[in-house]
Amino acid sequence: MVDTRSQILQGTLDLMVLKTLEQMGPLHGYGIARRIEQVGEGALVVNQGTIYLCLTRLVQKKWVSTEWGKSDNNRKAKFYAVTKAGQKQLAAEAENWERIAGVIARVLQPVEGS
Amino acid sequence: MVAWFNVMVSRLRGFFRPSTLDREFNEELEAHLAMAEEEKVRQGMSRDEARRAARIELGGITQLREAGREARGLPWVDPFLLDAKLGLRMLRKHWGLSLVAGLAMTVVISIGVVMFAFFELAFQGILPLDEGERVVAVEAWDVKGRREIDTSIQDFQRWRIEIEALDDVGAFETVQRNLIIGEGAFDSSSGGRVELVSVAEITASGFRLARVLPILGRTVIDDDEHVSSPPILVIGEEVWTSKFDRDPNVVGQTVRLGATTHTVVGVMPEGFAFPVNHGFWTAFQRESWDHLSAESNSTVFARLAPGSTLKSAQAEVAALGLVPSAFTAQAIEEGRLVRARVAPYTLALMGDFDGGQMAWVARIIFLLGAFLLAPPCANIAILVYARTITRQQEFATRYALGAGRRRIVSQLFVELLVLAGVAASVSLLVAAFALKRVSASVNAIAGDAAPFWFDFSLSLRTVLFAAGLAVVAALIAGLGPALKATGRQIESGVQSLGARTSAKLGMTWAILVVAQVAISLAFLPLAVELGWGTIRQGVLGPGFAAEQYLTAGLDLDRRSLGMTAAEADEQYALRFGALQTELIRRLESKPEVRGATISGMPGAEPWVRIELDPEVGEEDLRSRDGGRVNHVDAGFFDVFDIPVLAGRGLGQPDFEPVRRVAVVNKILAQRLVGGRSPLGRRIRYSGQRADPKAPTLAEDWYEIVGVVADRPSNLDHGTVYLPAAPHERFAATLSVRFAPNVADAAAVLRDTVVAVDPEMRVAEVELLSEVYRGQQVGNNIGAAVISAVTLSVLLLSAAGLYALMSFTVNQRRREIGIRAALGAQPSRLLGAVFKRAAVQFGCGAVAGVAMASILDYVVPAERIGGWSVPGIIPAAAALMLLIGTLTVVGPARRGLKVQPIEELRDA
């Protein structure tokens, strides 16, 4: 059986995590992983562990802040929220991504008349 | 950039509290697994299945923890610390190598670091004043000649008025004056005190620029600069304490500087010594002058105006240009480019450099240090390589277990870095000690206090410099052996794990050992001769009762005679000459004085090239020699008890008028004419660098009329004594021989000088024995450096040989064992083993003796300040032989202890 799911492109996980936090507000690591999987509708392979390494990076850069709280089922969990610097970075990276995606789409478009 | 900085801060924080972050990370993962498990259970999985699925989705927890730890901390620090720990252990284990290599590195790094520390001290100082870094000097600058030329008064005035980028433009000049406190103080018997002091003649703006207020009275003010204003004096806190016992009524008192009476108007606080190292300030009165300088050189200073920079000030000053003056005209006539320049104050005061040049000087010192490090570190590399070879098994094992080549190379490099780090730390201690010594004896060396911005503590840049040299040393000594030892050999090492080392010391090693022995031997004799020449005078003493002689520089204040420019030169010389004659007469009339003479500075006469006029048939044998020349008066030989050996000494008829006759000492006579008589022959002298083929002028020649004994203190120097009339002696040194045990001879001397004329000044009054001792301080440091370098080279050679012997014995243990089991005599076995080393050693020794002989011929030790030691080359060869033999002893004993049974069992 052929696995049609795609690996996450290198360097895009940060962008996805930031976007998720911006849309959803503060979330714990598990929530972020589940949300990305849901949005991907099963088309993306998410190694959930790497979400935590990504979050560590974002926290170090101060693009994401953390706070301990309680999850829905009353468990102690660390919640992540995007900071102002993170929002700025997200805007810049999203714009960059759109530009690159546009270029790739144009490159892949069949030449008219062929 | 901000993100990078945040990451570094966060990682640093993570490095120092790893357990807290680990715990939080674990808690987070646990929470993740629990939430995932519960969700899966809700979806219908059994608890076991749900737990397993959650773990699979999260990924390997151990790897995740490891990756998290790496992301949070400083991942490269732990291996580095581990390597450093291993390095320390290896240094302790191979302590002999560590000691030898460490000493060699310490010697060289110390030389570099001390040089850099003094460079920092002299050129990188910042004025300890409010915004001291904004204080600048403005100069008329000869671009090609790289020197300051005299500033005209017009330029000074224009800079003061027209340059907007500069505030508080002013000038100062340091002058020497006889300070006389008390009335009628020409004689110590009247209770007055006479002392030569440095006085800063300074504009009022100097005090505004410094932004320091007086603790009593006032500073110099603008009105004081008018020629008609009464002379005033501002004193420093230290002067107030030492000379006026902190008298609160000091303001208003009068003192005399030379013949002029000054009123004390203020006292500056402790530590204030602007512009350089001053404790006395008078007003700078130059209204009627055409240029700034009165005696030597004046300096124009300023503060950068708010908002302006060195660059903008420079641009403005350059745009204004210089007013044509006698000085610029002369410079331009000589084809030199003259412009005005603005330079950082401390830099301009310390030498003729640009800011940019300073950075280059720092780099050159570093490169020089690195260059000096190369030979000893290459030697150390050889030793390290020999040791590394014996560790092949260790590296092969680590390699087989998965450690990359990079990891092993970095381990070896860090080992050497630890050693170099220790060496650099010791060198910093040496530098700190040297700076401390200099700060303590700066008066003795410079004859004056150090500039007030000198900071005698080690700067951060010096520490970084030492660290840089340590890295270079570790790179040279560690990287080569590490790369070689982890190259192809490591693969073969893996294949033969468990067997004895198969590494070999090849041809390169043999060449290195031969070269090492040869080079050590070649330079050893010269080093010994140089060292002996340097400390000889200190060890043997001057050879006469130098402690009975008091010497002092003699000078006359030209300005106070009412003479300003060159027009009065002759008048000035005659006056000074007459005063000298009168001074000698008065001194010699005193009962405690045995004699007085005026000459060039004994022991510091200029070094010249002396040439003998060839006689017929001698044209091809022009006899030349280096030596000293001293202009003396008629009493010189008597005062110093120098006997005349042939011909005559210098008598009064030689001086009036001065005749072109010369007296030479015995050693010079010997060098110039050998065993023949030099009397009646002619000599001339020129600066050491003068062209020897320059045309001969008749008036250059002096006829030798006498030969005198060598003064023991300058036995090694040929000296020519020429008569000089009093008015010809500008740089005059007064030497007075006192009867033994005269109390306060210096006061007698000073008082007599001031009694002859208060404008005549004596500087640096010192016993001749102290002068010699002072000269010896530098010599002793030089000798210590030569000894340290020589010793470290010898030790390195010995260690190299020792390593070779040890390695050879180790490699052939089995062969020795087998042959011993077959009945061979152990001593014969060892003979065979050491044959190779002996051949290498022998080749090195022969080459070394040859090189030493050539070196001795090309660079005789006497030419460069050494002292010839008879038989030094054979003695050095014998010493090297002894060292070679000693290095054999240890390995030989180990070889003799080889147990045939054990070696055969291992076979």
Tab-separated table of all heavy atoms in Angstrom, chain A residues 28-30 34 46-50 52-53 56 60-63 68 71 73 75-78 80, chain B residues 3 6-7 10-11 24-25 27-29 31-32 34-36 38-39 57-58 64 67-68 71-72:
chain	number	residue	atom	x	y	z
A	28	HIS	N	-1.606	23.843	24.498
A	28	HIS	CA	-0.469	23.011	24.933
A	28	HIS	C	0.074	22.247	23.739
A	28	HIS	O	-0.555	22.240	22.649
A	28	HIS	CB	-0.875	22.081	26.069
A	28	HIS	CG	-2.185	21.400	25.875
A	28	HIS	ND1	-2.415	20.507	24.867
A	28	HIS	CD2	-3.351	21.530	26.566
A	28	HIS	CE1	-3.671	20.088	24.928
A	28	HIS	NE2	-4.269	20.704	25.965
A	29	GLY	N	1.215	21.589	23.937
A	29	GLY	CA	1.912	20.919	22.835
A	29	GLY	C	1.022	19.900	22.141
A	29	GLY	O	0.981	19.819	20.906
A	30	TYR	N	0.289	19.111	22.928
A	30	TYR	CA	-0.571	18.066	22.344
A	30	TYR	C	-1.660	18.705	21.485
A	30	TYR	O	-1.944	18.261	20.370
A	30	TYR	CB	-1.180	17.209	23.456
A	30	TYR	CG	-2.075	16.110	22.925
A	30	TYR	CD1	-1.524	15.054	22.188
A	30	TYR	CD2	-3.451	16.131	23.130
A	30	TYR	CE1	-2.326	14.055	21.673
A	30	TYR	CE2	-4.262	15.134	22.630
A	30	TYR	CZ	-3.698	14.089	21.902
A	30	TYR	OH	-4.496	13.099	21.394
A	34	ARG	N	-2.324	18.067	17.539
A	34	ARG	CA	-3.629	17.588	17.048
A	34	ARG	C	-4.233	18.564	16.039
A	34	ARG	O	-4.785	18.154	15.027
A	34	ARG	CB	-4.603	17.408	18.233
A	34	ARG	CG	-4.252	16.290	19.167
A	34	ARG	CD	-4.377	14.909	18.515
A	34	ARG	NE	-5.762	14.576	18.212
A	34	ARG	CZ	-6.175	14.090	17.038
A	34	ARG	NH1	-5.308	13.881	16.076
A	34	ARG	NH2	-7.451	13.809	16.824
A	46	VAL	N	2.930	14.061	11.027
A	46	VAL	CA	3.474	14.933	12.068
A	46	VAL	C	4.121	14.062	13.139
A	46	VAL	O	3.441	13.270	13.796
A	46	VAL	CB	2.376	15.811	12.707
A	46	VAL	CG1	2.993	16.725	13.758
A	46	VAL	CG2	1.673	16.618	11.648
A	47	ASN	N	5.437	14.189	13.254
A	47	ASN	CA	6.116	13.535	14.367
A	47	ASN	C	5.888	14.436	15.579
A	47	ASN	O	6.468	15.516	15.672
A	47	ASN	CB	7.608	13.396	14.044
A	47	ASN	CG	8.346	12.673	15.138
A	47	ASN	OD1	7.818	12.523	16.250
A	47	ASN	ND2	9.553	12.227	14.831
A	48	GLN	N	4.991	14.007	16.459
A	48	GLN	CA	4.548	14.913	17.529
A	48	GLN	C	5.712	15.403	18.396
A	48	GLN	O	5.698	16.522	18.895
A	48	GLN	CB	3.483	14.217	18.378
A	48	GLN	CG	2.207	13.966	17.604
A	48	GLN	CD	1.124	13.320	18.445
A	48	GLN	OE1	1.373	12.939	19.581
A	48	GLN	NE2	-0.062	13.183	17.888
A	49	GLY	N	6.714	14.529	18.567
A	49	GLY	CA	7.851	14.919	19.413
A	49	GLY	C	8.558	16.158	18.886
A	49	GLY	O	8.996	17.017	19.652
A	50	THR	N	8.635	16.257	17.550
A	50	THR	CA	9.369	17.403	16.984
A	50	THR	C	8.659	18.723	17.268
A	50	THR	O	9.279	19.773	17.249
A	50	THR	CB	9.538	17.260	15.457
A	50	THR	OG1	8.246	17.090	14.888
A	50	THR	CG2	10.415	16.083	15.106
A	52	TYR	N	7.704	19.654	20.085
A	52	TYR	CA	8.299	20.187	21.316
A	52	TYR	C	9.653	20.842	21.056
A	52	TYR	O	9.987	21.858	21.667
A	52	TYR	CB	8.397	19.086	22.379
A	52	TYR	CG	7.025	18.749	22.907
A	52	TYR	CD1	6.319	17.667	22.394
A	52	TYR	CD2	6.415	19.545	23.862
A	52	TYR	CE1	5.046	17.378	22.833
A	52	TYR	CE2	5.146	19.272	24.306
A	52	TYR	CZ	4.449	18.184	23.794
A	52	TYR	OH	3.197	17.935	24.225
A	53	LEU	N	10.432	20.229	20.147
A	53	LEU	CA	11.726	20.850	19.813
A	53	LEU	C	11.494	22.189	19.117
A	53	LEU	O	12.202	23.167	19.374
A	53	LEU	CB	12.544	19.924	18.910
A	53	LEU	CG	12.890	18.559	19.519
A	53	LEU	CD1	13.703	17.734	18.548
A	53	LEU	CD2	13.657	18.747	20.817
A	56	THR	N	10.533	24.682	21.704
A	56	THR	CA	11.722	25.133	22.460
A	56	THR	C	12.435	26.252	21.686
A	56	THR	O	12.803	27.282	22.241
A	56	THR	CB	12.692	23.951	22.676
A	56	THR	OG1	11.986	22.910	23.324
A	56	THR	CG2	13.904	24.355	23.496
A	60	GLN	N	12.858	30.143	22.824
A	60	GLN	CA	14.184	30.756	22.963
A	60	GLN	C	14.269	32.067	22.188
A	60	GLN	O	14.894	33.024	22.634
A	60	GLN	CB	15.260	29.793	22.445
A	60	GLN	CG	15.568	28.667	23.423
A	60	GLN	CD	16.570	27.687	22.850
A	60	GLN	OE1	16.725	27.572	21.642
A	60	GLN	NE2	17.233	26.949	23.731
A	61	LYS	N	13.596	32.107	21.032
A	61	LYS	CA	13.642	33.330	20.215
A	61	LYS	C	12.659	34.380	20.713
A	61	LYS	O	12.561	35.467	20.138
A	61	LYS	CB	13.335	32.988	18.757
A	61	LYS	CG	14.459	32.202	18.088
A	61	LYS	CD	14.064	31.777	16.686
A	61	LYS	CE	15.185	31.010	16.019
A	61	LYS	NZ	14.746	30.312	14.816
A	62	LYS	N	11.905	34.015	21.733
A	62	LYS	CA	10.889	34.897	22.324
A	62	LYS	C	9.770	35.213	21.327
A	62	LYS	O	9.174	36.279	21.366
A	62	LYS	CB	11.513	36.200	22.864
A	62	LYS	CG	12.426	35.972	24.046
A	62	LYS	CD	12.587	37.250	24.831
A	62	LYS	CE	13.587	37.213	25.937
A	62	LYS	NZ	13.548	36.201	26.912
A	63	TRP	N	9.481	34.269	20.430
A	63	TRP	CA	8.355	34.447	19.512
A	63	TRP	C	7.097	33.811	20.131
A	63	TRP	O	5.992	34.038	19.690
A	63	TRP	CB	8.654	33.774	18.156
A	63	TRP	CG	9.747	34.500	17.411
A	63	TRP	CD1	10.215	35.738	17.686
A	63	TRP	CD2	10.496	34.030	16.293
A	63	TRP	NE1	11.221	36.087	16.816
A	63	TRP	CE2	11.419	35.040	15.938
A	63	TRP	CE3	10.499	32.853	15.548
A	63	TRP	CZ2	12.305	34.921	14.893
A	63	TRP	CZ3	11.379	32.724	14.488
A	63	TRP	CH2	12.280	33.753	14.174
A	68	TRP	N	2.274	27.689	32.668
A	68	TRP	CA	1.680	26.418	33.108
A	68	TRP	C	0.204	26.635	33.454
A	68	TRP	O	-0.167	27.656	34.013
A	68	TRP	CB	2.405	25.868	34.339
A	68	TRP	CG	3.761	25.287	34.006
A	68	TRP	CD1	4.950	25.909	34.084
A	68	TRP	CD2	4.015	23.979	33.526
A	68	TRP	NE1	5.978	25.087	33.682
A	68	TRP	CE2	5.420	23.868	33.329
A	68	TRP	CE3	3.215	22.855	33.215
A	68	TRP	CZ2	6.041	22.722	32.862
A	68	TRP	CZ3	3.844	21.706	32.759
A	68	TRP	CH2	5.232	21.636	32.570
A	71	SER	N	-5.274	21.537	31.627
A	71	SER	CA	-5.872	21.161	30.338
A	71	SER	C	-7.374	20.915	30.546
A	71	SER	O	-7.858	20.967	31.678
A	71	SER	CB	-5.196	19.911	29.799
A	71	SER	OG	-5.539	18.814	30.616
A	73	ASN	N	-9.049	18.230	30.536
A	73	ASN	CA	-9.345	17.161	31.491
A	73	ASN	C	-8.599	17.348	32.808
A	73	ASN	O	-8.176	16.379	33.445
A	73	ASN	CB	-9.071	15.782	30.883
A	73	ASN	CG	-7.766	15.793	30.111
A	73	ASN	OD1	-6.952	16.712	30.305
A	73	ASN	ND2	-7.560	14.804	29.269
A	75	ARG	N	-5.608	18.338	33.626
A	75	ARG	CA	-4.208	17.933	33.817
A	75	ARG	C	-3.310	19.168	33.766
A	75	ARG	O	-3.615	20.124	33.038
A	75	ARG	CB	-3.778	16.997	32.678
A	75	ARG	CG	-4.224	15.589	32.885
A	75	ARG	CD	-3.548	14.655	31.911
A	75	ARG	NE	-3.900	13.292	32.255
A	75	ARG	CZ	-3.249	12.590	33.196
A	75	ARG	NH1	-2.241	13.122	33.845
A	75	ARG	NH2	-3.633	11.352	33.457
A	76	LYS	N	-2.191	19.069	34.509
A	76	LYS	CA	-1.231	20.191	34.473
A	76	LYS	C	-0.538	20.171	33.096
A	76	LYS	O	-0.033	19.116	32.681
A	76	LYS	CB	-0.200	19.998	35.588
A	76	LYS	CG	0.753	21.176	35.742
A	76	LYS	CD	1.829	20.872	36.782
A	76	LYS	CE	2.892	21.936	36.760
A	76	LYS	NZ	4.118	21.509	37.378
A	77	ALA	N	-0.573	21.261	32.392
A	77	ALA	CA	0.051	21.302	31.053
A	77	ALA	C	0.652	22.677	30.810
A	77	ALA	O	0.232	23.668	31.415
A	77	ALA	CB	-1.000	21.000	29.992
A	78	LYS	N	1.661	22.685	29.916
A	78	LYS	CA	2.317	23.968	29.607
A	78	LYS	C	1.617	24.557	28.385
A	78	LYS	O	1.500	23.871	27.357
A	78	LYS	CB	3.794	23.733	29.314
A	78	LYS	CG	4.634	24.994	29.347
A	78	LYS	CD	6.033	24.706	28.865
A	78	LYS	CE	7.046	24.948	29.948
A	78	LYS	NZ	8.404	24.720	29.465
A	80	TYR	N	1.234	27.425	25.399
A	80	TYR	CA	2.065	28.318	24.576
A	80	TYR	C	1.193	29.371	23.925
A	80	TYR	O	0.056	29.069	23.514
A	80	TYR	CB	2.783	27.521	23.486
A	80	TYR	CG	3.767	26.512	24.046
A	80	TYR	CD1	3.342	25.235	24.398
A	80	TYR	CD2	5.108	26.839	24.230
A	80	TYR	CE1	4.233	24.308	24.920
A	80	TYR	CE2	6.007	25.917	24.753
A	80	TYR	CZ	5.564	24.660	25.093
A	80	TYR	OH	6.448	23.765	25.611
B	3	ALA	N	16.928	37.795	17.759
B	3	ALA	CA	16.535	36.405	18.006
B	3	ALA	C	17.753	35.574	18.388
B	3	ALA	O	17.718	34.776	19.326
B	3	ALA	CB	15.862	35.840	16.762
B	6	ASN	N	18.694	36.361	21.868
B	6	ASN	CA	17.759	35.723	22.801
B	6	ASN	C	18.057	34.233	22.957
B	6	ASN	O	18.022	33.691	24.062
B	6	ASN	CB	16.318	35.894	22.300
B	6	ASN	CG	15.837	37.319	22.500
B	6	ASN	OD1	16.363	38.039	23.339
B	6	ASN	ND2	14.862	37.734	21.713
B	7	VAL	N	18.368	33.593	21.822
B	7	VAL	CA	18.671	32.155	21.867
B	7	VAL	C	19.906	31.910	22.738
B	7	VAL	O	19.922	31.020	23.588
B	7	VAL	CB	18.883	31.595	20.439
B	7	VAL	CG1	19.423	30.167	20.495
B	7	VAL	CG2	17.587	31.642	19.666
B	10	SER	N	19.120	32.358	26.365
B	10	SER	CA	18.293	31.261	26.826
B	10	SER	C	19.118	29.977	26.982
B	10	SER	O	18.976	29.235	27.957
B	10	SER	CB	17.159	31.065	25.819
B	10	SER	OG	16.496	29.879	26.072
B	11	ARG	N	20.009	29.725	26.004
B	11	ARG	CA	20.852	28.523	26.080
B	11	ARG	C	21.796	28.599	27.285
B	11	ARG	O	22.042	27.605	27.957
B	11	ARG	CB	21.684	28.384	24.801
B	11	ARG	CG	20.922	27.708	23.669
B	11	ARG	CD	21.790	27.666	22.421
B	11	ARG	NE	21.173	26.904	21.361
B	11	ARG	CZ	21.374	25.609	21.147
B	11	ARG	NH1	22.178	24.938	21.943
B	11	ARG	NH2	20.792	24.997	20.150
B	24	GLU	N	10.950	19.882	33.721
B	24	GLU	CA	9.773	20.489	33.072
B	24	GLU	C	9.470	19.809	31.746
B	24	GLU	O	8.307	19.552	31.414
B	24	GLU	CB	10.015	21.983	32.842
B	24	GLU	CG	9.933	22.784	34.117
B	24	GLU	CD	10.010	24.291	33.845
B	24	GLU	OE1	10.089	24.687	32.661
B	24	GLU	OE2	9.977	25.060	34.821
B	25	PHE	N	10.542	19.508	31.003
B	25	PHE	CA	10.373	18.873	29.698
B	25	PHE	C	9.733	17.498	29.876
B	25	PHE	O	8.810	17.119	29.146
B	25	PHE	CB	11.738	18.762	29.003
B	25	PHE	CG	11.652	18.455	27.532
B	25	PHE	CD1	11.115	19.381	26.640
B	25	PHE	CD2	12.100	17.247	27.020
B	25	PHE	CE1	11.031	19.107	25.279
B	25	PHE	CE2	12.017	16.975	25.672
B	25	PHE	CZ	11.498	17.909	24.791
B	27	GLU	N	7.888	16.489	32.399
B	27	GLU	CA	6.484	16.672	32.822
B	27	GLU	C	5.593	16.938	31.617
B	27	GLU	O	4.486	16.412	31.484
B	27	GLU	CB	6.364	17.858	33.782
B	27	GLU	CG	6.754	17.520	35.210
B	27	GLU	CD	6.674	18.751	36.111
B	27	GLU	OE1	5.912	19.684	35.786
B	27	GLU	OE2	7.406	18.787	37.109
B	28	GLU	N	6.126	17.745	30.710
B	28	GLU	CA	5.358	18.113	29.529
B	28	GLU	C	5.082	16.884	28.655
B	28	GLU	O	3.961	16.666	28.176
B	28	GLU	CB	6.145	19.168	28.748
B	28	GLU	CG	5.258	20.071	27.960
B	28	GLU	CD	6.039	21.159	27.236
B	28	GLU	OE1	7.264	21.285	27.457
B	28	GLU	OE2	5.404	21.868	26.449
B	29	LEU	N	6.139	16.055	28.494
B	29	LEU	CA	5.969	14.848	27.677
B	29	LEU	C	4.982	13.882	28.342
B	29	LEU	O	4.165	13.255	27.664
B	29	LEU	CB	7.323	14.153	27.465
B	29	LEU	CG	8.351	14.932	26.624
B	29	LEU	CD1	9.603	14.088	26.408
B	29	LEU	CD2	7.773	15.342	25.270
B	31	ALA	N	2.511	14.683	30.303
B	31	ALA	CA	1.176	15.238	30.115
B	31	ALA	C	0.668	14.944	28.712
B	31	ALA	O	-0.492	14.574	28.493
B	31	ALA	CB	1.200	16.741	30.356
B	32	HIS	N	1.587	15.091	27.729
B	32	HIS	CA	1.245	14.829	26.327
B	32	HIS	C	0.763	13.388	26.169
B	32	HIS	O	-0.298	13.133	25.584
B	32	HIS	CB	2.479	15.083	25.456
B	32	HIS	CG	2.255	14.808	23.998
B	32	HIS	ND1	2.085	15.802	23.071
B	32	HIS	CD2	2.146	13.641	23.294
B	32	HIS	CE1	1.892	15.278	21.880
B	32	HIS	NE2	1.932	13.951	21.987
B	34	ALA	N	-0.351	11.327	28.430
B	34	ALA	CA	-1.589	11.065	29.155
B	34	ALA	C	-2.793	11.571	28.362
B	34	ALA	O	-3.822	10.877	28.229
B	34	ALA	CB	-1.536	11.737	30.514
B	35	MET	N	-2.659	12.776	27.784
B	35	MET	CA	-3.778	13.348	27.023
B	35	MET	C	-4.063	12.515	25.781
B	35	MET	O	-5.217	12.223	25.445
B	35	MET	CB	-3.461	14.794	26.638
B	35	MET	CG	-3.624	15.755	27.796
B	35	MET	SD	-3.471	17.477	27.289
B	35	MET	CE	-1.731	17.730	27.390
B	36	ALA	N	-2.974	12.115	25.089
B	36	ALA	CA	-3.136	11.311	23.869
B	36	ALA	C	-3.801	9.979	24.221
B	36	ALA	O	-4.711	9.510	23.530
B	36	ALA	CB	-1.774	11.091	23.220
B	38	GLU	N	-5.736	9.218	26.773
B	38	GLU	CA	-7.159	9.378	27.127
B	38	GLU	C	-8.023	9.573	25.897
B	38	GLU	O	-9.113	8.996	25.768
B	38	GLU	CB	-7.318	10.556	28.077
B	38	GLU	CG	-7.107	10.136	29.512
B	38	GLU	CD	-6.981	11.315	30.441
B	38	GLU	OE1	-7.554	12.372	30.119
B	38	GLU	OE2	-6.296	11.173	31.471
B	39	GLU	N	-7.505	10.346	24.948
B	39	GLU	CA	-8.287	10.582	23.736
B	39	GLU	C	-8.506	9.285	22.961
B	39	GLU	O	-9.593	8.998	22.470
B	39	GLU	CB	-7.593	11.616	22.859
B	39	GLU	CG	-8.499	12.041	21.718
B	39	GLU	CD	-7.902	13.149	20.855
B	39	GLU	OE1	-6.954	13.817	21.299
B	39	GLU	OE2	-8.414	13.320	19.745
B	57	GLU	N	3.242	7.703	18.321
B	57	GLU	CA	3.022	9.006	17.669
B	57	GLU	C	3.986	10.072	18.180
B	57	GLU	O	4.406	10.947	17.428
B	57	GLU	CB	1.585	9.472	17.930
B	57	GLU	CG	0.605	8.815	17.000
B	57	GLU	CD	-0.825	9.229	17.298
B	57	GLU	OE1	-1.033	10.116	18.163
B	57	GLU	OE2	-1.719	8.667	16.677
B	58	LEU	N	4.318	9.982	19.462
B	58	LEU	CA	5.246	10.988	20.019
B	58	LEU	C	6.670	10.773	19.516
B	58	LEU	O	7.427	11.715	19.323
B	58	LEU	CB	5.202	10.938	21.555
B	58	LEU	CG	6.048	11.979	22.262
B	58	LEU	CD1	5.527	13.389	21.962
B	58	LEU	CD2	6.042	11.767	23.776
B	64	LEU	N	14.206	12.071	22.181
B	64	LEU	CA	13.556	13.379	22.285
B	64	LEU	C	14.143	14.174	23.454
B	64	LEU	O	14.428	15.373	23.336
B	64	LEU	CB	12.052	13.151	22.502
B	64	LEU	CG	11.133	14.311	22.167
B	64	LEU	CD1	11.370	14.814	20.751
B	64	LEU	CD2	9.672	13.875	22.314
B	67	ALA	N	17.576	15.313	22.468
B	67	ALA	CA	17.504	16.436	21.518
B	67	ALA	C	17.060	17.716	22.241
B	67	ALA	O	17.571	18.814	21.962
B	67	ALA	CB	16.537	16.104	20.396
B	68	GLY	N	16.126	17.559	23.177
B	68	GLY	CA	15.645	18.712	23.940
B	68	GLY	C	16.771	19.321	24.757
B	68	GLY	O	16.950	20.542	24.799
B	71	ALA	N	19.058	21.207	22.561
B	71	ALA	CA	18.468	22.459	22.072
B	71	ALA	C	18.447	23.523	23.160
B	71	ALA	O	18.468	24.712	22.875
B	71	ALA	CB	17.049	22.197	21.577
B	72	ARG	N	18.406	23.081	24.415
B	72	ARG	CA	18.285	24.058	25.499
B	72	ARG	C	19.617	24.559	26.043
B	72	ARG	O	19.721	25.665	26.516
B	72	ARG	CB	17.472	23.461	26.661
B	72	ARG	CG	16.003	23.262	26.364
B	72	ARG	CD	15.271	22.936	27.637
B	72	ARG	NE	15.811	21.756	28.285
B	72	ARG	CZ	15.406	20.511	28.050
B	72	ARG	NH1	14.443	20.303	27.174
B	72	ARG	NH2	15.934	19.479	28.663
